[in-house]
Amino acid sequence: MKSNTMDQDDIIFVKDLTWSYHQKPLFNHVSAHIKKGKFLSVIGPNGSGKTTLLKLLMRLLPVPGQSIYYPDGDVIHYNQKQLARLISYVPQQSRIEYEFSLFECVAMSRYSYTDRFSPLSPEDIRIIDESIDALGLSDLRTRSATELSGGEYQRMLIARSLAQQSNVIVLDEPVSHLDIHHQVEILSLLRTLVDEKGKTIICVLHDLNAVSYFSDEVMLLDDGIIISHGKPETVLQRNTIENVYKARLSIVSDEKHDRMIISPLWKSF
Ligand code: ADP
């Protein structure tokens, strides 16, 4: 039985969240405990509410009071800088058209630590360079953001999030536009951030195989309802997934690699 208050191992507690877009209800008394230092995948069909939930967690939409709690209390009481140090956002791919260099794009994340108009300190520059290096982008440091490939741009967004030094990183479909090599590279990096740096990753993913392989926890949404939330093997049950996605699936356990292989049968119900 889940408690109705924030647990000690929670980084975020969603309590009875009710939320509508222009009178159209989406979430109706939704609650969830999001655990610290875990990789949480948020899954569900298109339109089920994944992006909206992430935006509410980030307070990018007007959050009702007493609905979303962080370790220091109700999210509505955090100021922008406090929020930015706790949680950073890698949105669905949206490119900036200005001629900022990759370094400058990553540097923008440091404004939660500095005054917007003061110069970056040597410590800021060290953190920015380390983040760029961690994503293998050092050679592109001075390249204009408009001249990065899709994979490079995505890695730049993650470097920006790293340089923000938030405990929680929220990512909306970070690998959807990438080839398999870059998908593996980015998801492995996110996994390392959890395992070695204790970060919490909250990530919308569509590839259920990647979900099974990389996540500690999975939250399955359908039409604004959390259908299931728990370990991948608990949530990724054939009946549940087939009903929610309205698709036939084959699910096989790959014990050698401790994961499930999930593929559509390419037949609709
Ligand atoms: P998902 O990320 O799972 O695809 P979304 O959170 O984007 O789902 O959308 C959930 C529901 O909210 C959908 O029915 C969508 O049409 C609706 N919705 C999303 N954004 C808006 C908006 N800005 N105004 C009105 N309705 C919206």
Side-chain angles (χ1 to χ4, degrees), residues 254-265:
D254 172 2
E255 271 152 33
K256 189 165 164 212
H257 300 102
D258 191 22
R259 61 166 199 146
M260 285 173 277
I261 302 169
I262 303 166
S263 60
L265 291 178

Side-chain angles (χ1 to χ4, degrees), residues 168-224:
V168 185
I169 304 179
V170 173
L171 307 100
D172 200 348
E173 300 188 31
V175 295
S176 294
H177 302 282
L178 303 183
D179 62 41
I180 301 170
H181 170 81
H182 286 106
Q183 289 188 26
V184 172
E185 195 179 66
I186 287 194
L187 292 172
S188 304
L189 173 90
L190 296 177
R191 188 66 247 175
T192 308
L193 292 176
V194 174
D195 294 337
E196 293 177 11
K197 306 235 185 254
K199 302 263 185 200
T200 304
I201 301 289
I202 305 174
C203 184
V204 171
L205 287 176
H206 277 301
D207 182 339
L208 298 180
N209 288 304
V211 169
S212 155
Y213 192 75
F214 287 102
S215 329
D216 299 305
E217 300 237 316
V218 182
M219 179 189 287
L220 171 62
L221 281 171
D222 190 19
D223 207 9

Side-chain angles (χ1 to χ4, degrees), residues 88-91 106 109 131-132 134-135 137 151-165 169-171 174-175 178 182 185-187 189-190 193 201:
S88 58
Y89 186 43
V90 179
V106 176
S109 66
S131 308
I132 291 174
L135 272 294
L137 293 167
E152 290 160 355
Y153 194 88
Q154 193 65 16
R155 283 188 284 152
M156 180 276 285
L157 290 179
I158 296 175
R160 195 163 71 171
S161 197
L162 265 189
Q164 196 171 317
Q165 293 189 308
I169 304 179
V170 173
L171 307 100
V175 295
L178 303 183
H182 286 106
E185 195 179 66
I186 287 194
L187 292 172
L189 173 90
L190 296 177
L193 292 176
I201 301 289

Side-chain angles (χ1 to χ4, degrees), residues 21-22 24 26 44-53 92 172:
Y21 276 115
H22 323 293
K24 190 175 162 250
L26 177 61
N46 294 334
S48 55
K50 304 180 295 297
T51 298
T52 307
L53 180 63
Q92 278 184 33
D172 200 348

Side-chain angles (χ1 to χ4, degrees), residues 232-252:
E233 58 273 25
T234 310
V235 177
L236 299 174
Q237 294 285 335
R238 190 153 69 88
N239 283 349
T240 317
I241 300 294
E242 285 191 338
N243 283 335
V244 168
Y245 283 90
K246 305 199 172 27
R248 290 255 163 97
L249 297 175
S250 147
I251 303 187
V252 182

Side-chain angles (χ1 to χ4, degrees), residues 81 110-120 124:
K81 284 197 172 189
R110 297 299 300 166
Y111 289 130
S112 54
Y113 295 89
T114 59
D115 188 299
R116 190 168 287 265
F117 300 105
S118 24
L120 293 165
D124 288 321

